[in-house]
Amino acid sequence: MCDPQSILHDRVREALVVAFGAEMADADPMVRPSDRADFQANVALGLSKRLKRPPRQIAEALVSSLRVEDVCERVEVSGPGFINLTLKNSFLGECSSQQLRDPRLLVSLSSQPETVVIDYSAPNVAKEMHVGHLRSTILGDALARILSSLGHHVIRQNHLGDWGTPFGMLIEHLVDLGEQRASEELGVGDLNKFYREARAKFEQDPSFADRSRLRVVQLQAGDEPTRVLWQRLVHESKRYFGEIYAQLDVSLTDEDVCGESFYNPMLADVAEELEQRGLATVDDGALCIFVPGFSSREGSALPLIVRKTDGGYGYAATDLAAVRHRVKTLGATRLLYVVGAPQRQHLSMVFSAATMAGWLCPPARAEHVEFGSVLGADGKMFKTRAGDTIKLSDLIQEGVERALAEVTLRFPELDDETRRRVARQVGVGALKYADLSNDRVKDYVFDFDRMLKFEGNTGGYIQYAHARCRSILRHARLRPEPGPIEIVHPAERTLALVSLRLGAVIHQVAETLQPHTLCSYLFELAGALSGFWHDCPVLKADSELVRDSRLRLVELTSRILDHGLGLLGIQAPERM
RNA sequence: GCGCCCGUAGCUCAGUUGGAUAGAGCAGCGGCCUUCUAAGCCGCGGGUCACUGGUUCGAAUCCAGUCGGGCGUGCCA
């Protein structure tokens, strides 16, 4: 392994021990990329109080104990006590060569692989997927790819909304339409129409409402004909969601579906266990858990309602059952919930309750991977002019169509099939990248024009950088033999330095669960590449030695871009 | 009322977990295509990091309060 930052980290720590004793081994050397040098170590400033010496003096003592002659060209103390570190070109070149030779691009596997359950997407049966599902689906899928790339055992869980009171009316509507008609309607993906019709009848026709309520009872009682009808609804919806996932290059399959109904048989047991432990008590007829620290509008304690007054189980029961199942049966130690920010309080209560019940205890822990809303250009929730939610399938279609227009304009000579394929990769990539490149905690403004412009921090810009690399490698005809990368030009330095940060960035994302850091990184890499194109001719380089070295750098960069986009669930076209 | 999240250039967003002079992209102005892809590159202008105080060598970042926006706040999921 030859990642300069971690090597310098280790060297500075060794110097700390030599200069100030073994008790300094726990201090973070704070080696960071710098604009004054390649890296800077900031540890001396923080140690000033602990060592009761001026930071500048500490830095100087540290530097005199620092053994980096083999890797650094220059080491200097600067300002109040920063240690600026500049790498030797030869060492940097050697690191880059190693990165190129390594199939993992110097991204180490996690030192503590664990089983991670990621709960994401979670659309509702017989309901259209909308922009809210977009964020959960795209974020969750990227995190799943990133964590499994580091060697974690990732279990995807699509917590489908396939149970609850609306299914009474949905089944009755299915009966009214006849299975044939219903299948057609659901099959073409017009789920909103189906749901709306059912809802309208439920509200206007009292006899239909009665039938619906009866149907819910039958469904919950396990009535076989009812169950068959319900299965029909679930099946058709799953087929439709599968099509959307395929269009989006989302890795979810039917195997990952574990809907609310799955936990149905466990709910009574969950309630009983909670009651036996004295955690849940009956209040106003409902079985409640009172988690300390939560209060209602009136100031009284806020309950987590496990079982409603009518005997039915609420979603808190399902969520608790899911925590128990994921820890005990699936063996997960990290539970991720890629769910919108408004669910924060609910999930926080569920996690606390599960902890109190003993179902969630170290090393197992749960994290709410919360995200903000998607807004329209007006800064309000992203909706159609009529105020309806926007169908995900329409969004994908428009993205691909807009991309196709661009690609057609740019490459009239490409054959139809290639053009359509590239347009799909670019359109879907733009959609996903726009979502992933924003800090998930904040709301973000959805804007087709901006995300498809391919200027700035967009998917298209990254894909374009990759395609240019591939183009040059194609033109080179002969692949360069494996060999050294010689760093001579400043633009090569920059490119190599950014390239070598890949591992640190991916591990950081695995920790913070913020994929936008990876996007920023790829954008920076693409920017470094631009500088390199500008200053460093590759195929027309002065010598064969330089040409081959630069070709290797181009190949390395293209692989990082491809891998990085891949981790985000975005394809990298060979040409565009 | 209470709780949580957010507030950075005209617009959309970063800011490596407290480090040096706060950065990109759009939009505006000015340069670059007989040169490996101009979907690109270079330069210029643009800031009281919502506000006030505090913590310390050092704050956009941490703490308290104020103002603004959003969300949540017992039987929908």
Side-chain angles (χ1 to χ4, degrees):
Chain A
M1 284 301 150
C2 187
D3 162 32
Q5 188 165 353
S6 55
I7 286 176
L8 290 173
H9 174 97
D10 292 347
R11 298 289 180 92
V12 174
R13 194 162 53 187
E14 285 162 21
L16 274 166
V17 171
V18 172
F20 307 113
E23 65 273 20
M24 286 296 135
D26 63 326
D28 181 359
M30 296 211 278
V31 175
R32 308 272 187 271
S34 173
D35 51 348
R36 309 283 179 103
D38 293 338
F39 296 95
Q40 61 185 61
N42 302 336
V43 63
L45 296 114
L47 248 42
S48 158
K49 188 165 282 176
R50 191 165 156 189
L51 293 172
K52 293 182 185 138
R53 286 166 66 181
R56 174 119 200 158
Q57 228 180 70
I58 295 172
E60 274 154 10
L62 198 53
V63 164
S64 58
S65 306
L66 190 60
R67 296 279 78 90
V68 288
E69 297 79 3
D70 53 334
V71 298
C72 282
E73 177 74 44
R74 199 166 61 247
V75 177
E76 56 192 7
V77 177
S78 162
F82 298 103
I83 299 170
N84 291 343
L85 303 157
T86 305
L87 299 177
K88 282 184 170 171
N89 283 346
S90 57
F91 175 68
L92 185 54
E94 178 52 33
C95 290
S96 293
S97 308
Q98 279 197 33
Q99 192 176 23
L100 179 61
R101 279 197 298 271
D102 183 359
R104 293 195 52 85
L105 295 163
L106 292 183
V107 182
S108 61
L109 289 165
S110 171
S111 54
Q112 292 175 323
E114 52 186 337
T115 299
V116 186
V117 163
I118 309 185
D119 182 321
Y120 68 103
S121 195
N124 294 309
V125 164
K127 261 178 133 174
E128 201 70 50
M129 288 182 81
H130 55 79
V131 285
H133 298 112
L134 182 70
R135 292 210 88 176
S136 175
T137 304
I138 290 175
L139 275 163
D141 207 51
L143 293 174
R145 290 169 194 264
I146 289 165
L147 289 168
S148 52
S149 82
L150 295 180
H152 294 293
H153 175 46
V154 171
I155 302 176
R156 294 163 170 80
Q157 292 279 278
N158 193 352
H159 196 80
L160 216 59
D162 62 357
W163 201 254
T165 43
F167 281 87
M169 70 179 194
L170 291 169
I171 291 170
E172 283 304 319
H173 185 49
L174 176 76
V175 170
D176 287 1
L177 282 182
E179 283 203 44
Q180 190 65 34
R181 256 300 288 293
S183 285
E184 280 166 20
E185 213 163 280
L186 293 166
V188 296
D190 204 351
L191 304 187
N192 277 349
K193 187 178 167 210
F194 187 90
Y195 193 92
R196 262 205 297 266
E197 284 168 351
R199 171 120 232 135
K201 278 201 283 185
F202 186 85
E203 277 161 10
Q204 286 157 20
D205 180 351
S207 73
F208 180 86
D210 287 341
R211 273 159 58 202
S212 299
R213 276 188 274 270
L214 183 65
R215 195 57 95 168
V216 175
V217 176
Q218 287 177 313
L219 180 63
Q220 280 167 346
D223 174 58
E224 195 50 34
T226 301
R227 245 193 123 69
V228 168
L229 292 167
W230 170 77
Q231 277 288 4
R232 182 102 220 157
L233 284 174
V234 173
H235 178 76
E236 295 295 340
S237 294
K238 269 161 71 174
R239 210 158 56 86
Y240 177 63
F241 297 147
E243 281 171 26
I244 300 272
Y245 294 147
Q247 285 175 40
L248 274 177
D249 294 320
V250 162
S251 63
L252 284 170
T253 67
D254 278 2
E255 313 269 293
D256 306 314
V257 170
C258 192
E260 291 168 348
S261 62
F262 174 83
Y263 302 100
N264 220 34
M266 312 173 194
L267 300 183
D269 185 55
V270 162
E272 194 183 333
E273 196 174 331
L274 289 168
E275 233 177 332
Q276 272 177 3
R277 294 185 187 215
L279 288 171
T281 51
V282 177
D283 191 276
D284 264 358
L287 185 66
C288 305
I289 305 175
F290 290 94
V291 179
F294 295 92
S295 58
S296 72
R297 205 186 300 269
E298 294 78 26
S300 56
L302 184 68
L304 191 60
I305 295 174
V306 177
R307 194 178 55 222
K308 298 181 281 184
T309 307
D310 67 4
Y313 292 98
Y315 75 137
T318 311
D319 286 340
L320 284 167
V323 171
R324 194 177 70 164
H325 175 255
R326 287 166 186 183
V327 175
K328 282 173 82 171
T329 308
L330 298 179
T333 50
R334 197 178 187 191
L335 277 58
L336 305 183
Y337 290 76
V338 189
V339 175
Q343 300 280 347
R344 190 190 176 102
Q345 182 176 267
H346 167 73
L347 283 174
S348 167
M349 289 174 82
V350 167
F351 296 162
S352 295
T355 305
M356 292 192 292
W359 299 330
L360 188 63
C361 51
R365 74 277 184 205
E367 294 166 72
H368 180 197
V369 185
E370 64 180 345
F371 54 84
S373 309
V374 181
L375 307 178
D378 55 359
K380 304 209 165 151
M381 295 289 275
F382 193 39
K383 296 237 167 98
T384 62
R385 261 188 218 143
D388 295 322
T389 55
I390 294 170
K391 287 169 65 172
L392 197 43
S393 57
D394 289 346
L395 223 50
I396 297 168
Q397 197 185 338
E398 185 169 353
V400 172
E401 273 169 13
R402 283 174 180 247
L404 183 60
E406 295 283 344
V407 170
T408 304
L409 203 68
R410 173 79 179 161
F411 296 118
E413 76 279 7
L414 282 183
D415 66 276
D416 218 48
E417 195 197 322
T418 311
R419 232 173 44 207
R420 286 183 187 284
R421 189 179 64 244
V422 172
R424 209 184 69 79
Q425 292 171 321
V426 168
V428 171
L431 200 63
K432 296 174 92 171
Y433 193 91
D435 203 315
L436 292 165
S437 60
N438 283 290
D439 184 351
R440 62 173 165 78
V441 177
K442 299 179 185 174
D443 296 348
Y444 94 97
V445 176
F446 189 97
D447 184 345
F448 263 128
D449 288 330
R450 190 153 18 90
M451 73 175 76
L452 278 158
K453 220 162 219 168
F454 313 135
E455 291 163 343
N457 193 7
T458 64
Y461 179 78
I462 313 291
Q463 286 174 321
Y464 172 69
H466 171 265
R468 269 191 84 172
C469 289
R470 301 305 304 171
S471 170
I472 287 199
L473 292 168
R474 267 197 307 277
H475 280 97
R477 279 187 237 130
L478 288 175
R479 266 284 179 77
E481 298 291 312
I485 292 177
E486 303 279 353
I487 303 296
V488 181
H489 195 279
E492 295 173 322
R493 276 191 74 83
T494 306
L495 188 56
L497 278 166
V498 176
S499 295
L500 286 161
R501 272 178 26 219
L502 177 70
V505 169
I506 294 176
H507 280 280
Q508 188 191 345
V509 174
E511 174 77 31
T512 64
L513 308 175
Q514 293 178 324
H516 79 281
T517 333
L518 179 53
C519 295
S520 298
Y521 170 78
L522 293 176
F523 181 53
E524 200 182 329
L525 183 64
L529 191 63
S530 286
F532 174 76
W533 293 144
H534 188 74
D535 295 342
C536 303
V538 178
L539 299 175
K540 292 166 187 165
D542 293 337
S543 72
E544 200 164 316
L545 204 75
V546 174
R547 173 183 171 276
D548 284 354
S549 169
R550 286 181 178 166
L551 272 173
R552 292 184 193 107
L553 213 42
V554 170
E555 191 183 348
L556 172 62
T557 309
S558 82
R559 276 177 55 204
I560 295 175
L561 291 169
D562 181 48
H563 185 240
L565 285 172
L567 290 178
L568 297 171
I570 296 171
Q571 295 185 20
E574 281 293 306
R575 59 183 84 213
M576 56 188 288

